[in-house]
Amino acid sequence: MNILHSKLEEKLAGLPVSVAISLPQGGWIGPPDQAQVRIRCHNAAALASLAAGDVGVVGAAIVEGHVDIEGTMRDAMAAAVALMPSDPVAARSTWWSRLLARSRSAALHTLTKDSEQIQFHYDVSDDFYGLWLDPRRVYSCAYYAEHGYSLAQAQEAKLDLICRKLRLQPGERFLDVGAGWGGLLLWAAEHYGIEGTGITLSKNQHAYVNQLIEQKGLQGRVKMLLTDYRQLRVDQPFDKLASVGMFEHVGRAHMHEYFTVLKRLVKPGGLLMNHGITAGGTDNEQLGAGMGDFIEKYIFPGGELIHVSAVLEEMAHAGWEMVDTDNLRPHYAKTLWAWSDALEAQLDEALAILAQKGDPAQAAKTLRAYRLYLAGCATGFEHGWVALHQMLAVMPDGSMTTGTMPGAQSQYPFTRDYMYR
């Protein structure tokens, strides 16, 4: 135990914030009255995980109540980064680990399992999400086009950026795959005059968006369906598609099927905006230091991150032509910190909302998990462990006369100025 204590003392000496750790048998490592972050360990296993830098394991111990943490989430994350022994994206995969990961991916993404996994995350509580999201409940990376934008302004800027990139026009048939609480779908209908369809596997989101459609008088122009993308059947293909924060849930083993299904759903010459989280490393199956396991267990079961190069390769295999790719990674860090700060300012109310399901202990666990998840992900985007890409692609129609330039084979103008005007 003395060796463990010595190792922790050595680690604490090099941290960018002052940290004190309480010992299960009593006493402290580091002065608690001077610490920005106080970590109270209730068993020796948590101390060993701290010493090893297994921050995901420590996070799980916090969720389960074996460790308590005091201090701001920003200070706690600064300490966590310094405690990690290595870059969490530095792990190299092998042929065997890739085979296992692909087999696991195939097994985790059946129609039934995907539905269960989406509902595990998104049906926690609409009111809980409403506490810390913007008023439109846009649960994806915002776009801080201006430095002083609020979260709400940045989310509206993101919605409009996607609509501009897709060159949405009045009367076009638009599909939003994984439409969430309807932010993009309704923005496109109200500001660009499209006829929209959204799909989700979340029962809460399905009910919420259909209520909004009725409140806004958009019946007949906009509809929200509770269905899997693989089961969607349409009488005619859509003009434009968007998939925002969706393909992270698809699974590497199903990526080709995903883009092939989207190909079936769009008309020749149509556009796709594929917006989502991508891996920061090119050769790691998940984040190291236990972080990937933490997210899998407590937040996004079945979630898989793929490097943007692999995503673009899968798109190309399915026949899509990438015409523009944009990395918004720092924007997502800022978005997540805005969510984290909003949640931290309303912890009592958040706990009361989560406890409405009748299990106070589970409510407290869920709240602890989300506090770590939001702040941890913000840190991950800041450090480049994960990224956020908008990948705009077209499905060429084969005609040399379509579009504004010979050989465009789509309505994409092959210039970027229209996106930012």
Side-chain angles (χ1 to χ4, degrees):
M1 186 62 73
N2 289 334
I3 295 175
L4 183 60
H5 291 180
S6 297
K7 186 173 183 180
L8 284 168
E9 288 174 349
E10 182 180 338
K11 279 182 171 286
L12 295 190
L15 296 183
V17 294
S18 56
V19 176
I21 302 172
S22 74
L23 304 175
Q25 68 272 28
W28 290 82
I29 298 175
D33 55 336
Q34 300 174 18
Q36 294 166 278
V37 178
R38 287 177 293 278
I39 303 172
R40 300 180 184 271
C41 296
H42 304 306
N43 57 45
L47 285 177
S49 297
L50 275 172
D54 292 331
V55 295
V57 178
V58 176
I62 293 171
V63 173
E64 299 297 337
H66 304 313
V67 173
D68 298 323
I69 188 164
E70 301 169 6
T72 69
M73 282 294 102
R74 292 175 186 262
D75 285 342
M77 290 304 119
V81 171
L83 283 169
M84 285 189 293
S86 61
D87 184 345
V89 300
R92 305 292 293 178
S93 64
T94 64
W95 70 269
W96 178 243
S97 67
R98 288 192 295 271
L99 178 61
L100 287 177
R102 190 168 187 85
S103 298
R104 178 179 176 276
S105 176
L108 279 176
H109 294 285
T110 64
L111 291 171
T112 299
K113 285 187 177 295
D114 274 341
S115 180
E116 292 172 349
Q117 289 164 173
I118 292 298
Q119 290 175 34
F120 175 91
H121 182 80
Y122 292 99
D123 290 353
V124 166
S125 164
D126 276 13
D127 290 338
F128 173 66
Y129 284 108
L131 270 183
W132 42 274
L133 295 177
D134 68 295
R136 296 180 185 275
R137 295 187 182 177
V138 182
Y139 191 27
S140 53
C141 175
Y143 179 58
Y144 288 86
E146 299 290 342
H147 177 71
Y149 271 6
S150 66
L151 173 64
Q153 290 172 316
Q155 289 293 14
E156 290 184 351
K158 186 271 298 297
L159 298 178
D160 209 62
L161 178 63
I162 291 174
C163 292
R164 292 199 308 275
K165 285 186 173 184
L166 284 170
R167 306 185 78 219
L168 292 182
Q169 304 295 321
E172 286 188 328
R173 300 180 69 254
F174 170 64
L175 173 66
D176 189 358
V177 183
W181 284 280
L184 176 60
L185 182 66
L186 298 175
W187 183 273
E190 293 180 308
H191 292 83
Y192 288 83
I194 54 89
E195 295 181 8
T197 298
I199 62 173
T200 183
L201 291 175
S202 164
K203 295 178 181 178
N204 284 10
Q205 291 177 341
H206 175 251
Y208 179 83
V209 176
N210 276 312
Q211 185 178 28
L212 285 180
I213 290 170
E214 185 174 346
Q215 289 174 357
K216 293 174 177 290
L218 293 171
Q219 306 96 316
R221 280 186 52 206
V222 180
K223 58 184 177 182
M224 183 72 159
L225 306 177
L226 185 66
T227 187
D228 190 283
Y229 70 96
R230 291 163 287 195
Q231 296 180 307
L232 181 62
R233 298 292 182 268
V234 295
D235 295 331
Q236 58 177 316
F238 293 91
D239 297 292
K240 310 282 175 65
L241 310 180
S243 173
V244 180
M246 160 62 189
F247 80 95
E248 303 96 309
H249 301 286
V250 168
R252 182 183 294 265
H254 294 269
M255 202 59 63
H256 181 73
E257 177 188 21
Y258 169 66
F259 286 117
T260 300
V261 169
L262 297 188
K263 176 181 179 179
R264 170 177 62 79
L265 293 171
V266 75
K267 72 176 188 180
L271 277 73
L272 162 68
M273 167 55 73
N274 191 56
H275 164 126
I277 303 171
T278 53
T282 59
D283 203 28
N284 56 303
E285 267 81 42
Q286 64 175 5
L287 284 177
M291 291 186 287
D293 292 332
F294 176 89
I295 292 174
E296 167 72 23
K297 181 175 182 179
Y298 294 106
I299 306 297
F300 281 115
E304 296 180 48
L305 300 186
I306 306 171
H307 192 263
V308 62
S309 61
V311 179
L312 293 173
E313 182 178 17
E314 293 286 3
M315 292 174 73
H317 284 319
W320 293 96
E321 179 183 8
M322 186 275 290
V323 291
D324 185 85
T325 298
D326 205 356
N327 186 353
L328 301 182
R329 179 181 59 78
H331 292 267
Y332 213 171
K334 190 169 183 177
T335 303
L336 280 151
W337 277 127
W339 292 342
S340 175
D341 291 343
L343 178 58
E344 292 299 304
Q346 304 171 89
L347 293 177
D348 291 342
E349 188 174 354
L351 184 60
I353 289 172
L354 292 170
Q356 289 173 1
K357 289 191 174 183
D359 189 341
Q362 181 58 47
K365 286 177 62 173
T366 300
L367 181 56
R368 291 194 292 267
Y370 271 75
R371 293 179 69 194
L372 294 172
Y373 150 64
L374 293 176
C377 285
T379 303
F381 280 98
E382 283 183 336
H383 285 264
W385 303 334
V386 283
L388 187 288
H389 282 88
Q390 289 189 340
M391 293 159 271
L392 185 64
V394 299
M395 184 52 62
D397 65 4
S399 171
M400 297 300 106
T401 61
T402 303
T404 58
M405 299 179 69
Q409 302 182 57
S410 70
Q411 293 303 315
Y412 182 69
F414 285 87
T415 62
R416 302 182 83 208
D417 60 323
Y418 80 93
M419 298 180 185
Y420 301 103
R421 276 200 297 263

